[in-house]
Amino acid sequence: MPDVHSLVNEFVIKLQKRQIEGSKTTAKLTAELLRSFISQLRLPHSNQAGALIDAVKEVGEKLITAKPVELAVGNVVRRVLHIIREEDLSITNAAVGGLNLASESDDDDGNDEYDHPVLSASAVAAAARSALRPPSLQTLLDDMPHSAANPHTSSSGGDSEGKSKSADSLRRKLKHDVIEAVNELIQEISTCHEQIAEQAVEHIHHNEVILTLGSSQTVKEFLLAAKEKNRSFRVFVAEGAPRYQGHAFAKELASSGLQTTVITDSAVFAMISHVNMVIVGAHAVMANGGVIAPVGLNMVALAAKRHAVPFVVLAGVHKLCPLYPHNPEVLLNELKSPSELLDFGEFSDCLDFGSGSGSPLIHVVNPAFDYVPPDLVSLFITDTGGHNPSYIYRLIADFYSPDDLVVRRKSAS
Amino acid sequence: MVAKKGSRGGAAGEDAGEELSRDPLQAILLADSFATLFRPITLERPKVLLPLVNAPMIEYTLAWLESAGVEEVFVFCCAHSKQVIEYLENSNWLNQPKFSVSTIESYNAMSAGDALRLIYEKNVVHGDFILVTGDTVSNMPLTQALKEHKERKKRDSNAVMTMIIKQSKPSPITHQSRLGTEELFMAIDPKTKELLYYEDKADTSKGTLTLDRTMLLDRSSISLHNDKQDCYIDICSPEVLSLFTDNFDYQHLRRHFVKGLLVDDLMGYKIFTHEIHSSYAARVENYRSYDTISKDIIQRWTYPLVPDIQFLQNSLTKLERRGTYRASESESAEFHVTDVGLSRSAKMGPFTVIGSRTTIGKHSEVSNSVIGEDCVIGSNVSIDGCYIWNKVNIEDGCRLKHAIVCDGVTMKSGAVLEAGVVLSFKVIIGQNFVVPAYSKVSLLQQPVRQDSDEELEYADNSSGNIEITSVPNTTDVLEELNTEVGGAGFIWSVGEKGLEEEWRHSVAPISADRLLEIIKSATDELDTSNEESNILPPSGELGIDSDNESDDGRDDHAHFEKEVEATFLRAIHENVEEDHIIIEVNSLRLSYNMASTDCAGALFYAMMKYAVDTPHDSAGELLKITNGVIGKWEKLLKYYLPSLDEEIEVILKFEEMCLESTKEYANLFSQILHLLYDKDILQEDGILRWESEKEQADESDKVFVKKAEKFLQVVAQGGIGRRRLRVGRVGNAFLLVDSLGAMEIELDLLNEDLIGFSCFP
């Protein structure tokens, strides 16, 4: 146990010090951390799911407060909580079935109806997801699934030894299933780029001009996938001040044989009429379909809207955040160091507080993110396919349980 | 840049790990500044534990070292070592994975030199190490600098230290950096980045620096900077420690060690510099830098070490509009209620940090300030540019401007702090009491001994305890005034340097009056130098005129010489001031339409005439007298020798004298030439130009060139060893008086426009 805690602490410190950058890495690391946390957690005999949820919530809260601006952490925590609830529900269903079976087996009356193997909840969920149907309608109807269902198992578990034995195996099963599902989640996060890139051919056509801003791994793989399918197209890269990651991005694209043009951010409006489609990455996708994206994208989106150019946002599902941008928990921005904008030495004479009123005459603000409202976004491409901004809430209902939306307040009370 | 640091830092950490598989990267952190600039506060608490934007300074240093990939830190504690150790024990630092912090305690170290000698004895440092003080705020990645250091070390085992510098322009008015330190002059080899010259206590009034000429012997150029800030972050090889042990008189890291190594060419140790651009590094040296660095932190130059990012010990803080940070307690049940009890009518100005559990009353205004935790601030209080620490109680109607208020201070209603005040721990300021500007108030009495600034905080710590007991029965000016209104504390008398220096290092910005004063005195200097340069152009025009009137020009010339001679003699007999002679000679020049070269010639003639007229027996005595006369009127002569032309004129004049009027000098020609050269009246260039001019002349004219042959050779070789380069300062520009012009010297100039640059050949 202590080593898990030290793992958690180490991760928290890394998050705090901004040593982990990028939503995908953060999401993956968070999921892996939660997996090892769950696997080492000793569960009580009764109300396992509840205990598990509380424990994960506790850790999750720590992780979220360590870097509130990185919404992917909260997303993964909520996903894991959702997984636990789902698994618990499926086991409970099975257990209820099992108990019924046990009680009926006294009458020596075998009932095939309950004999089917317990389906893995993840399989159920996956099936449900592919059918685009809520994974468990019961969860939504049932206000508190674990509080309703678990006392039942525990009380019956105490009834007889045989039953407790089955509860014991069920307990192991719950943990095992949860870990299995978390593994799947990790797999999903790590393959999200390929999943998204697979759809590239459907969106990029011959002789098109694509505009993007800054640098995004998702966008890069998307474009390269289209290139591999022998689509010939051109890419305009806006340099993405103040970090100018667009420069390196253009270099990468060019070295892969893509026809690339670099423009300044301020030239986006001038160039947008030549462009067929804007494809960008995102920092997070909010529940209303709004996007938190690298700074400068709002301007690009407005330009695209003005010229009726489709504005396509690529985002792995781990970027899907069940919160709305007006939520007080959502920090829309992070102010980075002004040294990215200007050279401290050159401006040091303007920052001399020794003269005048002592208050700085120059203030440099360097926000990292922009907010793009949903009506400026034409299409989201996630690993599950293309979606309209107005459909995002539906996806969120698939992936998150409404009980977990507020991770913090629950655990504090 | 900074953002990329995360991933890069991680990868770099691994790289460094491979490279240093035997030696983990070590750092020595001196938790004692060995200075007294933070008194009286440091009598009660060590400087490294003083809060800087609501987190102890040492937190910033340790957090930076950890994120920069340092694995082992030795914290050297001296003054208040118990407090530092206790603090570290209560913090998380001692049990961090992959980052070990251990303390070394000393009671008798008096300086950084002593500290390093002690560490050397302990034999804990094995490889290259980072040497910092516990008051450093930085976010620089060390990887690059370390790599450079190691590569240099491989090539040249004498490269023992890499000093981190950062560009920062000094104020042109006060000649101090934005951190309140003296203007720093550094000469750096632009190619190898070797540090050649380091002067932080340059005499700005004199306006010149002298650099050793040997610097230029084996390099094509050097650059001289006054716009670099020393970050006091050094990457040192283990030799540095043994160097300190060998030279037991090295005390100060810069004043003794760095300068010592630069001067000492026997051992040949070299110091190099590494300039950082996008990252931040600075050291809290005095109250001024405390103010400046606090503001830099609030403006996020130190990202990620900023208030709204938790780097271990500080409490959760939210960044609001206009650079305002407000603490909120994450543990509290209703998380959206901030713990700051801000009255609705209280005004929070820009760039303000307010700690948790602090309450601010009605109609109070706070701007550009940092307020700590658990403070109670009444209504109608005005706080501007202040640093208020924890548990401070400020009652209604107080006014504070640019002050530092330490823990536990109480200000009764209506009290006023004027700019630059420092209130030490638990001081009580009585009702309506006005604390005068720049005063420092402490419960402890000022130690009677006025030691030099070398003295350390700790020396007084021992006696500090005794003084506390003596507080109640001693009375002081402040206490007398204060006790009637319920105050407690002593106003410290300002040090020997007096108020004069106090404004330089205070938290308060330098007042406009003071700045005007400085500008005035500076422009006075400029005026005089302008006068000089103003004289030159008309003389040129006049020179053409005098050519036209060459008929009676000769006559005029003789008259003029006579007049100048008479003026000079009168000056000697009546003790006239130099300035008056200058005015008189100038007026003579105007009335006779003479060029400035003529003035120089005439004046020189007058001097030599006077010298030869003084009774003497031998040539040796004459030389002595000449020496005396020239020595006395050196300044006057120099005034008329602003450029080469004048110098040549003087030599020609001298030659003429030797040939015609005063043949006595003929045999002393070489010696006197040497004398003039020694006194800096003549420069190499002038002499050499004279020689080359003479080359085309008749054989008969070359008599004196031959006489001075030996001397000329020496001059041509670039002077004798003690000969130095002179860098003059005109206004804000540097003027390099390089005698040979063969070497290219880059000057980093503050101002592009050079005043009086005309005299450069």
Side-chain angles (χ1 to χ4, degrees), chain A residues 16-18 243 334-335 337-339 342 344-346 348 351 353-354 357-360 362-363, chain B residues 3 66 98 166-169 178 278 295 299-301 303 309-310 319 351 368 402 509-510:
Chain A
Q16 275 173 353
K17 296 212 168 131
R18 308 303 196 248
R243 289 162 92 176
E334 171 152 88
L335 296 183
S337 169
S339 60
L342 40 86
F344 182 82
E346 279 304 311
S348 56
L351 292 161
F353 309 118
S357 65
S359 60
I362 277 193
H363 183 211
Chain B
E66 197 218 350
K98 295 176 197 163
K166 183 166 177 60
Q167 189 187 9
S168 170
K169 298 176 188 170
R178 58 193 296 276
S278 59
K295 280 174 177 151
Q299 293 212 23
R300 308 178 76 81
W301 289 99
Y303 183 91
I309 294 179
Q310 278 185 296
L319 173 62
F351 307 116
N368 292 316
H402 303 295
I510 299 157

Tab-separated table of all heavy atoms in Angstrom, chain A residues 16-18 243 334-335 337-339 342 344-346 348 351 353-354 357-360 362-363, chain B residues 3 66 98 166-169 178 278 295 299-301 303 309-310 319 351 368 402 509-510:
chain	number	residue	atom	x	y	z
A	16	GLN	N	1.761	18.844	-10.530
A	16	GLN	CA	1.845	20.184	-9.965
A	16	GLN	C	2.960	20.982	-10.611
A	16	GLN	O	2.827	22.167	-10.869
A	16	GLN	CB	2.130	20.093	-8.470
A	16	GLN	CG	0.889	19.910	-7.651
A	16	GLN	CD	1.212	19.656	-6.204
A	16	GLN	OE1	2.374	19.487	-5.835
A	16	GLN	NE2	0.209	19.634	-5.378
A	17	LYS	N	4.043	20.334	-10.845
A	17	LYS	CA	5.187	21.052	-11.389
A	17	LYS	C	5.103	21.169	-12.888
A	17	LYS	O	6.049	21.599	-13.525
A	17	LYS	CB	6.456	20.327	-10.996
A	17	LYS	CG	6.643	20.343	-9.512
A	17	LYS	CD	8.084	20.379	-9.151
A	17	LYS	CE	8.206	20.693	-7.681
A	17	LYS	NZ	9.091	19.781	-7.009
A	18	ARG	N	4.008	20.786	-13.452
A	18	ARG	CA	3.814	20.879	-14.893
A	18	ARG	C	4.882	20.093	-15.652
A	18	ARG	O	5.398	20.518	-16.659
A	18	ARG	CB	3.842	22.350	-15.362
A	18	ARG	CG	2.904	23.268	-14.592
A	18	ARG	CD	1.473	22.764	-14.661
A	18	ARG	NE	0.502	23.758	-14.268
A	18	ARG	CZ	-0.236	23.694	-13.167
A	18	ARG	NH1	-0.086	22.705	-12.324
A	18	ARG	NH2	-1.147	24.607	-12.908
A	243	ARG	N	4.405	29.994	-28.812
A	243	ARG	CA	5.373	28.905	-28.685
A	243	ARG	C	5.903	28.465	-30.055
A	243	ARG	O	6.859	27.728	-30.138
A	243	ARG	CB	4.734	27.717	-27.960
A	243	ARG	CG	4.520	28.030	-26.481
A	243	ARG	CD	3.515	27.088	-25.873
A	243	ARG	NE	4.153	25.928	-25.292
A	243	ARG	CZ	3.491	24.985	-24.633
A	243	ARG	NH1	2.196	25.085	-24.499
A	243	ARG	NH2	4.110	23.965	-24.130
A	334	GLU	N	-4.741	28.718	-18.360
A	334	GLU	CA	-3.546	28.736	-17.546
A	334	GLU	C	-2.651	29.821	-18.124
A	334	GLU	O	-2.419	29.864	-19.327
A	334	GLU	CB	-2.850	27.385	-17.621
A	334	GLU	CG	-1.486	27.436	-16.971
A	334	GLU	CD	-1.065	26.087	-16.412
A	334	GLU	OE1	-0.471	25.300	-17.148
A	334	GLU	OE2	-1.343	25.864	-15.228
A	335	LEU	N	-2.153	30.692	-17.254
A	335	LEU	CA	-1.260	31.745	-17.732
A	335	LEU	C	0.168	31.250	-17.618
A	335	LEU	O	0.635	30.915	-16.539
A	335	LEU	CB	-1.457	33.023	-16.918
A	335	LEU	CG	-2.829	33.657	-17.053
A	335	LEU	CD1	-2.891	34.948	-16.266
A	335	LEU	CD2	-3.159	33.924	-18.498
A	337	SER	N	4.455	31.534	-18.610
A	337	SER	CA	5.469	32.554	-18.376
A	337	SER	C	5.514	33.565	-19.506
A	337	SER	O	5.443	33.196	-20.676
A	337	SER	CB	6.824	31.891	-18.250
A	337	SER	OG	7.823	32.868	-18.269
A	338	PRO	N	5.634	34.852	-19.162
A	338	PRO	CA	5.712	35.874	-20.204
A	338	PRO	C	6.974	35.756	-21.048
A	338	PRO	O	7.057	36.356	-22.106
A	338	PRO	CB	5.729	37.189	-19.429
A	338	PRO	CG	5.422	36.845	-18.029
A	338	PRO	CD	5.684	35.402	-17.829
A	339	SER	N	7.944	34.985	-20.586
A	339	SER	CA	9.199	34.921	-21.336
A	339	SER	C	9.008	34.230	-22.681
A	339	SER	O	9.859	34.337	-23.550
A	339	SER	CB	10.268	34.203	-20.529
A	339	SER	OG	9.859	32.901	-20.241
A	342	LEU	N	8.264	37.627	-24.787
A	342	LEU	CA	9.331	38.591	-25.008
A	342	LEU	C	10.520	38.285	-24.112
A	342	LEU	O	10.412	37.581	-23.122
A	342	LEU	CB	8.836	40.018	-24.813
A	342	LEU	CG	7.878	40.336	-23.680
A	342	LEU	CD1	8.647	40.610	-22.418
A	342	LEU	CD2	7.081	41.558	-24.060
A	344	PHE	N	13.188	38.775	-21.495
A	344	PHE	CA	13.229	39.484	-20.221
A	344	PHE	C	14.325	40.542	-20.225
A	344	PHE	O	14.130	41.667	-19.784
A	344	PHE	CB	13.465	38.483	-19.095
A	344	PHE	CG	13.483	39.088	-17.737
A	344	PHE	CD1	12.307	39.349	-17.084
A	344	PHE	CD2	14.668	39.388	-17.119
A	344	PHE	CE1	12.304	39.901	-15.837
A	344	PHE	CE2	14.677	39.940	-15.874
A	344	PHE	CZ	13.498	40.203	-15.230
A	345	GLY	N	15.486	40.175	-20.726
A	345	GLY	CA	16.618	41.096	-20.684
A	345	GLY	C	16.348	42.371	-21.452
A	345	GLY	O	16.638	43.469	-20.981
A	346	GLU	N	15.725	42.212	-22.620
A	346	GLU	CA	15.470	43.383	-23.452
A	346	GLU	C	14.499	44.336	-22.776
A	346	GLU	O	14.567	45.541	-22.960
A	346	GLU	CB	14.890	42.936	-24.797
A	346	GLU	CG	15.929	42.456	-25.784
A	346	GLU	CD	17.012	43.499	-26.034
A	346	GLU	OE1	16.643	44.661	-26.287
A	346	GLU	OE2	18.197	43.153	-25.948
A	348	SER	N	14.039	44.526	-19.510
A	348	SER	CA	14.309	44.667	-18.079
A	348	SER	C	14.255	46.117	-17.636
A	348	SER	O	13.961	46.402	-16.486
A	348	SER	CB	15.654	44.044	-17.734
A	348	SER	OG	16.661	44.625	-18.522
A	351	LEU	N	10.848	46.993	-16.642
A	351	LEU	CA	10.378	46.261	-15.468
A	351	LEU	C	11.142	46.689	-14.226
A	351	LEU	O	11.189	45.981	-13.243
A	351	LEU	CB	10.554	44.758	-15.692
A	351	LEU	CG	9.660	44.161	-16.766
A	351	LEU	CD1	10.200	42.843	-17.228
A	351	LEU	CD2	8.267	44.000	-16.233
A	353	PHE	N	11.361	48.354	-11.033
A	353	PHE	CA	10.378	48.882	-10.092
A	353	PHE	C	10.996	49.931	-9.179
A	353	PHE	O	10.381	50.408	-8.256
A	353	PHE	CB	9.772	47.752	-9.262
A	353	PHE	CG	9.275	46.631	-10.112
A	353	PHE	CD1	9.811	45.366	-10.008
A	353	PHE	CD2	8.293	46.870	-11.045
A	353	PHE	CE1	9.357	44.344	-10.819
A	353	PHE	CE2	7.839	45.849	-11.864
A	353	PHE	CZ	8.363	44.590	-11.743
A	354	GLY	N	12.244	50.228	-9.433
A	354	GLY	CA	12.949	51.157	-8.556
A	354	GLY	C	12.580	52.602	-8.822
A	354	GLY	O	12.941	53.478	-8.071
A	357	SER	N	6.151	54.807	-9.738
A	357	SER	CA	5.257	54.526	-8.618
A	357	SER	C	5.540	53.154	-8.016
A	357	SER	O	4.956	52.771	-7.033
A	357	SER	CB	3.815	54.574	-9.102
A	357	SER	OG	3.617	53.522	-10.027
A	358	GLY	N	6.441	52.414	-8.625
A	358	GLY	CA	6.742	51.090	-8.102
A	358	GLY	C	5.839	50.020	-8.658
A	358	GLY	O	6.042	48.854	-8.412
A	359	SER	N	4.838	50.432	-9.445
A	359	SER	CA	3.991	49.410	-10.057
A	359	SER	C	4.469	49.193	-11.480
A	359	SER	O	4.898	50.129	-12.143
A	359	SER	CB	2.531	49.845	-10.030
A	359	SER	OG	2.393	51.041	-10.746
A	360	PRO	N	4.414	47.943	-11.926
A	360	PRO	CA	4.953	47.640	-13.244
A	360	PRO	C	4.168	48.336	-14.359
A	360	PRO	O	2.942	48.382	-14.320
A	360	PRO	CB	4.806	46.122	-13.338
A	360	PRO	CG	3.803	45.764	-12.308
A	360	PRO	CD	3.877	46.793	-11.238
A	362	ILE	N	4.649	47.487	-17.566
A	362	ILE	CA	4.389	46.475	-18.588
A	362	ILE	C	3.839	45.236	-17.901
A	362	ILE	O	4.384	44.802	-16.890
A	362	ILE	CB	5.676	46.114	-19.349
A	362	ILE	CG1	5.931	47.129	-20.455
A	362	ILE	CG2	5.577	44.726	-19.949
A	362	ILE	CD1	6.970	46.699	-21.441
A	363	HIS	N	2.768	44.737	-18.415
A	363	HIS	CA	2.238	43.480	-17.907
A	363	HIS	C	2.052	42.567	-19.102
A	363	HIS	O	1.437	42.958	-20.079
A	363	HIS	CB	0.907	43.719	-17.190
A	363	HIS	CG	0.357	42.476	-16.579
A	363	HIS	ND1	-0.983	42.237	-16.449
A	363	HIS	CD2	0.971	41.405	-16.066
A	363	HIS	CE1	-1.170	41.062	-15.891
A	363	HIS	NE2	0.002	40.530	-15.637
B	3	ALA	N	7.488	25.474	-21.134
B	3	ALA	CA	6.497	24.412	-21.196
B	3	ALA	C	7.137	23.114	-21.658
B	3	ALA	O	6.805	22.047	-21.188
B	3	ALA	CB	5.388	24.806	-22.153
B	66	GLU	N	15.114	20.701	-7.459
B	66	GLU	CA	14.530	19.388	-7.684
B	66	GLU	C	14.076	19.225	-9.127
B	66	GLU	O	14.366	18.225	-9.768
B	66	GLU	CB	13.352	19.162	-6.733
B	66	GLU	CG	12.977	17.704	-6.637
B	66	GLU	CD	11.502	17.479	-6.546
B	66	GLU	OE1	10.761	18.446	-6.365
B	66	GLU	OE2	11.091	16.316	-6.673
B	98	LYS	N	14.176	10.293	-4.776
B	98	LYS	CA	15.111	10.766	-5.805
B	98	LYS	C	15.634	12.182	-5.560
B	98	LYS	O	16.143	12.816	-6.462
B	98	LYS	CB	14.462	10.743	-7.196
B	98	LYS	CG	14.129	9.354	-7.676
B	98	LYS	CD	13.422	9.451	-8.988
B	98	LYS	CE	12.715	8.155	-9.323
B	98	LYS	NZ	11.718	8.341	-10.346
B	166	LYS	N	22.497	36.681	-16.781
B	166	LYS	CA	21.257	36.976	-17.499
B	166	LYS	C	21.265	38.444	-17.861
B	166	LYS	O	21.764	39.270	-17.113
B	166	LYS	CB	20.067	36.670	-16.589
B	166	LYS	CG	18.738	36.885	-17.264
B	166	LYS	CD	17.626	36.261	-16.450
B	166	LYS	CE	16.277	36.543	-17.076
B	166	LYS	NZ	16.143	36.018	-18.436
B	167	GLN	N	20.705	38.725	-19.017
B	167	GLN	CA	20.687	40.120	-19.418
B	167	GLN	C	19.720	40.913	-18.559
B	167	GLN	O	18.606	40.490	-18.288
B	167	GLN	CB	20.262	40.241	-20.887
B	167	GLN	CG	20.442	41.642	-21.407
B	167	GLN	CD	19.876	41.816	-22.793
B	167	GLN	OE1	19.195	40.939	-23.316
B	167	GLN	NE2	20.146	42.944	-23.406
B	168	SER	N	20.146	42.067	-18.123
B	168	SER	CA	19.300	42.943	-17.341
B	168	SER	C	19.940	44.317	-17.368
B	168	SER	O	21.084	44.476	-16.985
B	168	SER	CB	19.198	42.415	-15.906
B	168	SER	OG	18.585	43.352	-15.092
B	169	LYS	N	19.194	45.266	-17.854
B	169	LYS	CA	19.824	46.583	-18.039
B	169	LYS	C	19.824	47.378	-16.743
B	169	LYS	O	18.792	47.453	-16.082
B	169	LYS	CB	19.062	47.352	-19.114
B	169	LYS	CG	19.104	46.672	-20.461
B	169	LYS	CD	18.257	47.419	-21.450
B	169	LYS	CE	18.139	46.639	-22.733
B	169	LYS	NZ	17.141	47.205	-23.628
B	178	ARG	N	18.172	46.496	-11.626
B	178	ARG	CA	16.802	46.488	-11.118
B	178	ARG	C	16.701	45.716	-9.826
B	178	ARG	O	15.721	45.813	-9.112
B	178	ARG	CB	15.845	45.931	-12.162
B	178	ARG	CG	16.175	44.538	-12.626
B	178	ARG	CD	15.389	44.204	-13.874
B	178	ARG	NE	13.975	44.173	-13.641
B	178	ARG	CZ	13.330	43.116	-13.175
B	178	ARG	NH1	13.972	42.021	-12.877
B	178	ARG	NH2	12.025	43.150	-13.003
B	278	SER	N	15.544	32.686	-21.910
B	278	SER	CA	14.098	32.620	-21.683
B	278	SER	C	13.760	32.260	-20.244
B	278	SER	O	12.664	32.531	-19.792
B	278	SER	CB	13.471	31.604	-22.629
B	278	SER	OG	14.050	30.358	-22.397
B	295	LYS	N	7.572	40.942	-7.480
B	295	LYS	CA	6.743	41.396	-8.602
B	295	LYS	C	6.951	40.505	-9.817
B	295	LYS	O	6.012	40.257	-10.566
B	295	LYS	CB	7.046	42.857	-8.914
B	295	LYS	CG	6.312	43.746	-7.938
B	295	LYS	CD	6.634	45.194	-8.048
B	295	LYS	CE	5.762	45.940	-7.044
B	295	LYS	NZ	6.402	47.158	-6.561
B	299	GLN	N	4.067	38.449	-11.659
B	299	GLN	CA	3.877	38.571	-13.110
B	299	GLN	C	4.241	37.301	-13.860
B	299	GLN	O	4.292	37.299	-15.078
B	299	GLN	CB	4.726	39.727	-13.635
B	299	GLN	CG	4.247	41.051	-13.129
B	299	GLN	CD	4.496	42.144	-14.149
B	299	GLN	OE1	4.632	41.896	-15.332
B	299	GLN	NE2	4.564	43.359	-13.674
B	300	ARG	N	4.556	36.261	-13.145
B	300	ARG	CA	4.724	34.911	-13.678
B	300	ARG	C	5.992	34.681	-14.502
B	300	ARG	O	6.081	33.730	-15.257
B	300	ARG	CB	3.490	34.483	-14.506
B	300	ARG	CG	2.185	34.646	-13.774
B	300	ARG	CD	1.023	34.256	-14.632
B	300	ARG	NE	0.872	32.814	-14.758
B	300	ARG	CZ	0.291	32.046	-13.853
B	300	ARG	NH1	-0.169	32.572	-12.747
B	300	ARG	NH2	0.189	30.758	-14.049
B	301	TRP	N	6.983	35.529	-14.336
B	301	TRP	CA	8.234	35.265	-15.039
B	301	TRP	C	8.883	33.995	-14.523
B	301	TRP	O	9.692	33.385	-15.202
B	301	TRP	CB	9.212	36.426	-14.864
B	301	TRP	CG	8.814	37.643	-15.608
B	301	TRP	CD1	8.171	38.729	-15.104
B	301	TRP	CD2	9.013	37.917	-16.999
B	301	TRP	NE1	7.955	39.648	-16.106
B	301	TRP	CE2	8.474	39.171	-17.274
B	301	TRP	CE3	9.606	37.197	-18.036
B	301	TRP	CZ2	8.492	39.741	-18.538
B	301	TRP	CZ3	9.630	37.768	-19.294
B	301	TRP	CH2	9.079	39.028	-19.538
B	303	TYR	N	7.370	31.223	-13.811
B	303	TYR	CA	6.543	30.052	-14.076
B	303	TYR	C	7.433	28.818	-14.233
B	303	TYR	O	8.413	28.873	-14.934
B	303	TYR	CB	5.753	30.303	-15.365
B	303	TYR	CG	4.797	29.222	-15.745
B	303	TYR	CD1	3.494	29.262	-15.299
B	303	TYR	CD2	5.207	28.164	-16.534
B	303	TYR	CE1	2.610	28.262	-15.654
B	303	TYR	CE2	4.333	27.162	-16.872
B	303	TYR	CZ	3.033	27.220	-16.429
B	303	TYR	OH	2.157	26.230	-16.762
B	309	ILE	N	0.212	27.865	-8.654
B	309	ILE	CA	0.615	26.481	-8.862
B	309	ILE	C	1.232	26.009	-7.556
B	309	ILE	O	2.113	26.654	-7.018
B	309	ILE	CB	1.614	26.359	-10.018
B	309	ILE	CG1	0.908	26.742	-11.319
B	309	ILE	CG2	2.157	24.951	-10.096
B	309	ILE	CD1	1.777	26.692	-12.510
B	310	GLN	N	0.743	24.879	-7.080
B	310	GLN	CA	1.249	24.421	-5.795
B	310	GLN	C	2.582	23.733	-5.972
B	310	GLN	O	2.662	22.662	-6.544
B	310	GLN	CB	0.269	23.412	-5.210
B	310	GLN	CG	-0.888	24.060	-4.522
B	310	GLN	CD	-1.742	23.013	-3.881
B	310	GLN	OE1	-2.309	22.191	-4.579
B	310	GLN	NE2	-1.808	23.030	-2.580
B	319	LEU	N	-5.809	32.458	-9.422
B	319	LEU	CA	-5.418	33.670	-10.145
B	319	LEU	C	-6.676	34.328	-10.671
B	319	LEU	O	-7.495	33.720	-11.326
B	319	LEU	CB	-4.496	33.300	-11.289
B	319	LEU	CG	-4.105	34.405	-12.253
B	319	LEU	CD1	-3.333	35.492	-11.525
B	319	LEU	CD2	-3.266	33.849	-13.364
B	351	PHE	N	-2.176	43.180	-9.286
B	351	PHE	CA	-0.945	42.538	-8.820
B	351	PHE	C	-0.905	42.408	-7.304
B	351	PHE	O	0.022	42.851	-6.647
B	351	PHE	CB	0.286	43.288	-9.331
B	351	PHE	CG	0.248	43.478	-10.799
B	351	PHE	CD1	0.178	44.734	-11.354
B	351	PHE	CD2	0.232	42.380	-11.630
B	351	PHE	CE1	0.102	44.897	-12.715
B	351	PHE	CE2	0.162	42.532	-12.999
B	351	PHE	CZ	0.100	43.789	-13.541
B	368	ASN	N	-0.846	46.305	-5.572
B	368	ASN	CA	0.569	45.955	-5.756
B	368	ASN	C	1.199	45.360	-4.500
B	368	ASN	O	2.368	45.607	-4.220
B	368	ASN	CB	1.385	47.171	-6.155
B	368	ASN	CG	1.018	47.655	-7.530
B	368	ASN	OD1	0.869	46.854	-8.449
B	368	ASN	ND2	0.832	48.944	-7.672
B	402	HIS	N	4.672	51.069	0.449
B	402	HIS	CA	5.986	50.485	0.192
B	402	HIS	C	6.712	50.116	1.479
B	402	HIS	O	7.770	50.651	1.788
B	402	HIS	CB	6.839	51.434	-0.631
B	402	HIS	CG	6.188	51.815	-1.924
B	402	HIS	ND1	5.941	50.901	-2.911
B	402	HIS	CD2	5.713	53.000	-2.367
B	402	HIS	CE1	5.349	51.512	-3.924
B	402	HIS	NE2	5.191	52.775	-3.610
B	509	PRO	N	10.151	52.486	-4.234
B	509	PRO	CA	10.804	52.979	-5.443
B	509	PRO	C	11.510	54.295	-5.138
B	509	PRO	O	11.123	55.013	-4.210
B	509	PRO	CB	9.643	53.178	-6.411
B	509	PRO	CG	8.441	53.291	-5.578
B	509	PRO	CD	8.698	52.511	-4.336
B	510	ILE	N	12.512	54.572	-5.904
B	510	ILE	CA	13.273	55.790	-5.673
B	510	ILE	C	12.385	56.978	-6.005
B	510	ILE	O	11.770	57.041	-7.071
B	510	ILE	CB	14.546	55.774	-6.523
B	510	ILE	CG1	15.397	54.574	-6.125
B	510	ILE	CG2	15.327	57.054	-6.365
B	510	ILE	CD1	16.336	54.124	-7.185
